[in-house]
Amino acid sequence: MQDWNREAVTKTIERSLDDRDLPAVTTAVRPLGSTEIVEVLERLDGTQRAVLYRLLSKEQALEVFEDLDASLQSDLLGGLQNDDVAALFAEMDPDDRVELLDELPAKVARRLMQGLPWREREMTASILGYPQGSIGRRMSPEFVAVRADSTAEVALSRVSRHLVDAETVYILPVTDDHRTLVGVVSLRELMGADPQTRISDLMERAYPVRATDDAEDAARRCADLKALVLPVVDNESRLVGILTVDDALRILETAETEDQARAGGTEPLRQPYLTNPVRNLVRGRVVWLLVLAVGATLTVQVLSVFEATLSQVVALALFVPLLIGTGGNTGNQAATTVTRALALGDIGSRDIAKVVAREFRVGLSLGLLLGSVAFLLATVVYDVSLGAVLGLSLLSVCTMAATVGGSMPLLASAIRADPAVFSNPFISTFVDATGLLVYFLIAKLVLGV
Amino acid sequence: MQDWNREAVTKTIERSLDDRDLPAVTTAVRPLGSTEIVEVLERLDGTQRAVLYRLLSKEQALEVFEDLDASLQSDLLGGLQNDDVAALFAEMDPDDRVELLDELPAKVARRLMQGLPWREREMTASILGYPQGSIGRRMSPEFVAVRADSTAEVALSRVSRHLVDAETVYILPVTDDHRTLVGVVSLRELMGADPQTRISDLMERAYPVRATDDAEDAARRCADLKALVLPVVDNESRLVGILTVDDALRILETAETEDQARAGGTEPLRQPYLTNPVRNLVRGRVVWLLVLAVGATLTVQVLSVFEATLSQVVALALFVPLLIGTGGNTGNQAATTVTRALALGDIGSRDIAKVVAREFRVGLSLGLLLGSVAFLLATVVYDVSLGAVLGLSLLSVCTMAATVGGSMPLLASAIRADPAVFSNPFISTFVDATGLLVYFLIAKLVLGV
């Protein structure tokens, strides 16, 4: 069972699709579960995907559709008939539906909304009322809540009535008679309790998030707490929805793809790598490269200023890549460490003074170590004055780079910008230019040129 | 409730601890849940942490201990009495216990194991039998399994008997009469079914992992499937444990911290940022910096070879940082994108030919765009031959960098090494040296020097 060979099966299906041998495709797909079909679909190109999807049984098609990324869902809808689209849309969970609506052209979205049964339309509209990027948009309104003054027996019978339509029944939010959230209770606790026990005696503290909170922050909180469910409340602490751990995982996966892409200086891909045309890959990278290249012209300007010094001591040019490379690495180390600590909540923007002080000391230590090594080596291979220039430059550049690299993510977070805006490539570019300036100033001073 | 102010509370507690005003500390801690106390503990230094921990009530102390990272647990144990340590150790879940054992000196670990009650020792020893880094080490042996040929009623009564000791009861592995895993069934399904329904009619397909599988891969699979529980089986498909989503999240968090640290060229921190002494931060970075600096001496050698060319045309030196910076950025973009696609399972090592072909085309397109811009600008500002040198160099460097950057993570994965080994700083260093070589070769050719 665990030996399902995704690559071989995908290859067989791809080949059969290329040969337009549809019966062979059906045979290859039959033994697969919806999870496997999704994995295969994510590796096919657009046309192949549409063909394979239409070969699925009605039931399978719905299951598979629900598990696809919203961008692939939207792609697939284009190839289906209006009736089929409306049926699929009505079957979806309200939160998944809203995610898909965000992907569709406004006209199509409006038409689909109008086709929904009343209750589904109401629930969908209530989620759509929250701002984009907030957890209100991604929460599920299909929860089972229990009252604090009721009993375990009453709560269990409530659970039994909602086994089918609730998003989850394993962790239940507990409210008072004003719909205000007062705690959570687990199904396990309910099942183990005497039927007459009051919920207020069984419940535990809830860690709610607000519907207007940032979706990524809320999801991160869910993952941090290792909670199966977080209740979502409005500004008056009234329960309005729940965030389940599987939805939190979905949000974090997208958020991490984005963060990592930006940290690497590219726009995030909106689709799996192999399904993306090359021109999309180029588009996602070229703007960043151009912006960074414009930033890098600073280095050309700094070097132009010192062109006379350079032509007097050409040897200085030999160490430019080594020096700015080390500066960039030191800055990136600090930025990576601080960004991760921020993401994990180990530090916050109020810690900036502490972080700057720590990174200054780290940078100084690194600079002393590397600077001494460089001084010794360069003195042996070249001469003592070049050794002094290199050693002092590394000392200053490392100290500066660690301090700047460590404080950038915190500054970003203090002004409520994405720390990835001041990402590694930007730090490198900044450190390159200032590092060169320091290097040549020290060189002029020590060598007297 | 959601307005708990971590920073203010931590500050109050820190100040009271500094003043040795223990009653004030107790007052500040009293309203906090274990989650909040863990967050406070993670921000204190070692001594403060030990003092605060000893002020907790016995019950709170156990709850808090279970939620701490293994490295902090091990730190805390040092300050406790042997009896307290043995009691804490006996109360832990077997999987958490194994994680802690890995942190402790062998002698302490042996003594603690001998002090365990028989059943707990057996369970712990069975987990310890799996190789380090495997999911067998991190799974829970405390699961409730049901037989495929029994009924919903029987299964529910089995669940009721294990409400307290099982790791989870919401998803139950289903086995045949040889303990072979044949599926999973949810508690929700059991509760909704007619009591006489056979489990074999209720169960769904299971997606098991093998106990010897890499822990990170297994956890990633759990997160990908958005599963609350994955069954863990041995090589004969017999059920040996379960992996719950909260443990999967814990594994992924550590793994991601490590990956991100390595991608940024530092050793991962084993403790929260602020609790780490500066010398640890320095130690985690200096080796990488030195290795990278040694790699960067390649650039010095390349430049030495072309020292004569440089002294003839000093202007060539002006563009060195711009050129190698752009090459590094292009390489890192490709590496970041491919590494993420690998992590998400969108591509595998068998796709290397496809990826190289795609990245070659992406690099060529980027090189054509950037090279043309550089050619035009440099021709206007300097002259046409320098323009040609820069344009052609960018074209070659971008193409080479994207191809190398895109294939490195796949090569690493093909030889079963961590893709982070060929991380961004290494790609930059490699691209720096080869880029310089290309630049000066083109310069000699075009300028005829």
Side-chain angles (χ1 to χ4, degrees):
Chain A
M1 190 179 318
Q2 69 269 43
D3 291 309
W4 178 64
N5 191 333
R6 177 174 63 184
E7 305 193 344
V9 174
T10 311
K11 207 150 207 166
T12 314
I13 293 179
E14 255 175 320
R15 208 172 308 123
S16 311
L17 282 169
D18 282 344
D19 302 346
R20 309 188 159 272
D21 181 359
L22 301 189
V25 177
T26 315
T27 315
V29 170
R30 195 171 304 132
L32 303 184
S34 59
T35 313
E36 284 95 351
I37 299 178
V38 168
E39 290 186 3
V40 171
L41 284 172
E42 282 178 349
R43 300 170 66 88
L44 298 176
D45 69 35
T47 326
Q48 291 178 326
R49 194 158 51 230
V51 173
L52 175 56
Y53 186 76
R54 268 173 294 184
L55 289 176
L56 300 178
S57 72
K58 203 161 177 176
E59 196 188 339
Q60 243 179 351
L62 173 64
E63 261 184 70
V64 165
F65 192 79
E66 284 179 332
D67 284 350
L68 284 174
D69 285 349
S71 65
L72 290 187
Q73 286 178 338
S74 139
D75 267 15
L76 274 180
L77 285 188
L80 299 180
Q81 302 206 311
N82 282 350
D83 285 359
D84 291 340
V85 172
L88 266 180
F89 194 68
E91 288 288 342
M92 293 176 81
D93 284 335
D95 47 333
D96 297 337
R97 198 183 284 143
V98 167
E99 225 190 312
L100 173 57
L101 283 175
D102 284 341
E103 290 287 325
L104 293 172
K107 218 174 107 186
V108 180
R110 211 158 335 124
R111 199 192 63 220
L112 284 174
M113 274 293 274
Q114 280 161 359
L116 280 181
W118 178 81
R119 207 184 105 78
E120 294 292 325
R121 194 163 67 221
E122 284 296 286
M123 277 199 294
T124 311
S126 82
I127 301 183
L128 277 172
Y130 291 102
Q132 262 193 329
S134 72
I135 194 63
R137 279 252 171 164
R138 307 295 298 274
M139 71 186 181
S140 169
E142 297 181 292
F143 55 84
V144 183
V146 295
R147 290 272 295 269
D149 54 8
S150 69
T151 60
E153 188 174 24
V154 173
L156 277 175
S157 84
R158 211 174 141 67
V159 166
S160 307
R161 285 200 307 279
H162 290 285
L163 283 175
V164 179
D165 58 348
E167 173 90 12
T168 180
V169 294
Y170 300 137
I171 303 286
L172 311 175
V174 181
T175 56
D176 67 9
D177 42 9
H178 303 293
R179 283 209 300 132
T180 303
L181 180 77
V182 294
V184 291
V185 66
S186 71
L187 179 58
R188 185 157 154 168
E189 202 69 43
L190 286 179
M191 290 174 74
D194 180 276
Q196 296 312 316
T197 321
R198 293 227 163 266
I199 299 299
S200 48
D201 295 330
L202 292 173
M203 71 187 188
E204 283 173 53
R205 184 189 195 118
Y207 292 94
V209 289
R210 260 183 233 200
T212 48
D213 284 352
D214 179 65
E216 186 183 339
D217 291 346
R220 174 95 45 210
R221 184 133 184 87
C222 181
D224 279 352
L225 291 169
K226 317 284 179 298
L228 295 186
V229 170
L230 287 191
V232 183
V233 297
D234 65 13
N235 286 330
E236 278 81 47
S237 289
R238 278 188 311 247
L239 182 66
V240 292
I242 55 170
L243 169 66
T244 53
V245 65
D246 52 315
D247 285 331
L249 283 172
R250 214 163 276 136
I251 294 168
L252 285 179
E253 200 176 86
T254 314
E256 260 154 30
T257 303
E258 279 179 18
D259 287 354
Q260 287 183 21
R262 298 231 170 87
T266 95
E267 277 307 298
L269 302 179
R270 311 237 325 127
Q271 289 187 10
Y273 179 79
L274 288 180
T275 66
N276 247 309
V278 166
R279 64 169 185 283
N280 281 1
L281 295 177
V282 172
R283 209 181 299 140
R285 299 186 196 173
V286 72
V287 178
W288 281 77
L289 277 187
L290 279 173
V291 171
L292 291 170
V294 170
T297 55
L298 260 181
T299 60
V300 181
Q301 285 165 30
V302 171
L303 287 171
S304 305
V305 171
F306 296 101
E307 204 171 344
T309 317
L310 256 180
S311 53
Q312 274 179 277
V313 194
V314 175
L316 283 178
L318 304 188
F319 302 97
V320 162
L322 174 73
L323 188 80
I324 63 180
T326 304
N329 288 333
T330 313
N332 287 342
Q333 287 182 329
T336 305
T337 307
V338 171
T339 303
R340 183 65 183 166
L342 257 175
L344 291 176
D346 291 345
I347 53 173
S349 42
R350 72 132 194 168
D351 294 314
I352 188 151
K354 275 192 201 171
V355 172
V356 167
R358 289 171 75 88
E359 289 300 331
F360 178 82
R361 286 167 59 200
V362 174
L364 195 64
S365 314
L366 292 171
L368 279 171
L369 284 164
L370 292 179
S372 317
V373 173
F375 171 71
L376 290 175
L377 284 180
T379 303
V380 172
V381 180
Y382 301 87
D383 61 66
V384 67
S385 56
L386 197 60
V389 172
L390 268 185
L392 288 173
S393 299
L394 275 172
L395 175 63
S396 332
V397 167
C398 285
T399 311
M400 188 261 303
T403 316
V404 170
S407 44
M408 286 262 208
L410 283 168
L411 283 178
S413 136
I415 60 169
R416 306 202 139 266
D418 188 340
V421 172
F422 298 120
S423 62
N424 294 358
F426 282 95
I427 291 172
S428 297
T429 307
F430 176 82
V431 169
D432 282 2
T434 40
L436 285 174
L437 198 62
V438 169
Y439 178 51
F440 280 98
L441 288 177
I442 291 177
K444 279 179 87 99
L445 215 70
V446 174
L447 305 178
V449 284
Chain B
M1 190 177 323
Q2 69 269 42
D3 291 310
W4 178 65
N5 191 333
R6 178 175 61 185
E7 305 192 344
V9 174
T10 311
K11 207 153 207 163
T12 314
I13 293 178
E14 255 176 319
R15 209 172 307 124
S16 312
L17 282 169
D18 282 343
D19 302 346
R20 309 185 163 273
D21 181 358
L22 301 189
V25 176
T26 316
T27 314
V29 170
R30 195 171 304 132
L32 303 183
S34 59
T35 313
E36 285 95 353
I37 299 177
V38 168
E39 289 187 4
V40 172
L41 284 173
E42 282 178 348
R43 299 169 66 87
L44 297 177
D45 69 35
T47 327
Q48 292 179 326
R49 193 159 52 230
V51 174
L52 175 56
Y53 186 75
R54 268 172 296 184
L55 288 175
L56 301 178
S57 72
K58 203 161 177 178
E59 196 188 338
Q60 243 179 352
L62 174 63
E63 260 183 71
V64 164
F65 192 80
E66 284 180 332
D67 284 352
L68 284 174
D69 286 348
S71 65
L72 290 187
Q73 287 178 338
S74 141
D75 267 15
L76 274 180
L77 286 189
L80 298 180
Q81 304 207 308
N82 281 351
D83 285 358
D84 291 341
V85 172
L88 266 180
F89 194 68
E91 288 287 342
M92 292 176 82
D93 284 335
D95 47 333
D96 297 337
R97 198 184 285 144
V98 168
E99 226 190 311
L100 173 56
L101 283 175
D102 285 341
E103 290 288 325
L104 294 172
K107 218 175 105 187
V108 180
R110 211 159 334 122
R111 201 192 62 219
L112 284 174
M113 273 294 274
Q114 281 161 359
L116 280 182
W118 178 79
R119 208 184 104 79
E120 294 292 324
R121 193 163 67 221
E122 284 295 287
M123 275 198 296
T124 311
S126 81
I127 302 183
L128 276 172
Y130 290 102
Q132 262 194 329
S134 73
I135 194 63
R137 280 255 171 163
R138 307 294 298 274
M139 71 186 182
S140 168
E142 298 180 292
F143 55 83
V144 182
V146 294
R147 291 272 295 269
D149 53 9
S150 68
T151 61
E153 188 174 23
V154 172
L156 277 175
S157 83
R158 211 174 139 66
V159 165
S160 307
R161 285 200 306 279
H162 291 285
L163 282 175
V164 179
D165 57 349
E167 172 90 13
T168 180
V169 294
Y170 300 140
I171 303 287
L172 312 175
V174 180
T175 55
D176 66 10
D177 43 8
H178 302 294
R179 284 210 300 132
T180 303
L181 179 78
V182 294
V184 292
V185 66
S186 70
L187 179 58
R188 185 159 157 168
E189 202 70 44
L190 287 179
M191 290 174 75
D194 179 276
Q196 297 312 316
T197 321
R198 293 228 162 265
I199 298 300
S200 48
D201 295 330
L202 292 173
M203 71 187 188
E204 284 173 53
R205 184 191 196 113
Y207 292 94
V209 289
R210 259 182 233 202
T212 47
D213 283 353
D214 179 64
E216 186 183 340
D217 291 346
R220 174 95 45 209
R221 184 135 184 87
C222 181
D224 279 351
L225 292 169
K226 318 284 178 298
L228 295 187
V229 170
L230 287 192
V232 183
V233 297
D234 65 13
N235 287 330
E236 278 82 45
S237 288
R238 277 187 312 246
L239 182 67
V240 292
I242 55 171
L243 169 65
T244 53
V245 66
D246 52 316
D247 285 331
L249 284 172
R250 213 163 277 137
I251 294 168
L252 285 180
E253 200 177 85
T254 313
E256 260 155 30
T257 303
E258 278 179 19
D259 286 355
Q260 287 183 21
R262 298 230 169 88
T266 95
E267 277 307 297
L269 302 180
R270 311 239 322 129
Q271 289 187 9
Y273 180 78
L274 289 180
T275 66
N276 247 308
V278 166
R279 64 168 185 284
N280 280 1
L281 295 177
V282 173
R283 208 181 300 140
R285 299 186 196 173
V286 71
V287 177
W288 281 77
L289 277 186
L290 280 173
V291 171
L292 291 170
V294 170
T297 55
L298 261 180
T299 60
V300 181
Q301 285 164 30
V302 171
L303 286 171
S304 305
V305 171
F306 295 102
E307 204 171 344
T309 318
L310 257 180
S311 54
Q312 273 180 278
V313 195
V314 174
L316 283 178
L318 304 189
F319 302 97
V320 162
L322 173 73
L323 188 81
I324 64 180
T326 304
N329 288 333
T330 313
N332 287 342
Q333 287 181 328
T336 305
T337 307
V338 170
T339 303
R340 183 65 183 164
L342 257 176
L344 290 177
D346 290 346
I347 52 174
S349 41
R350 72 134 192 167
D351 294 314
I352 188 150
K354 274 192 201 170
V355 172
V356 167
R358 289 172 74 88
E359 288 301 330
F360 178 82
R361 285 166 58 201
V362 174
L364 195 65
S365 313
L366 291 171
L368 279 171
L369 284 164
L370 292 178
S372 317
V373 174
F375 171 71
L376 290 175
L377 284 181
T379 304
V380 172
V381 180
Y382 301 86
D383 61 65
V384 67
S385 55
L386 197 60
V389 172
L390 267 185
L392 288 173
S393 298
L394 276 172
L395 174 63
S396 333
V397 166
C398 286
T399 311
M400 186 261 304
T403 316
V404 169
S407 45
M408 287 262 208
L410 283 168
L411 283 178
S413 136
I415 60 170
R416 307 201 139 266
D418 187 340
V421 172
F422 298 121
S423 64
N424 294 357
F426 281 96
I427 290 173
S428 296
T429 307
F430 177 82
V431 169
D432 283 2
T434 40
L436 284 175
L437 199 62
V438 168
Y439 178 51
F440 279 98
L441 288 175
I442 292 177
K444 280 180 86 100
L445 215 70
V446 174
L447 305 179
V449 284

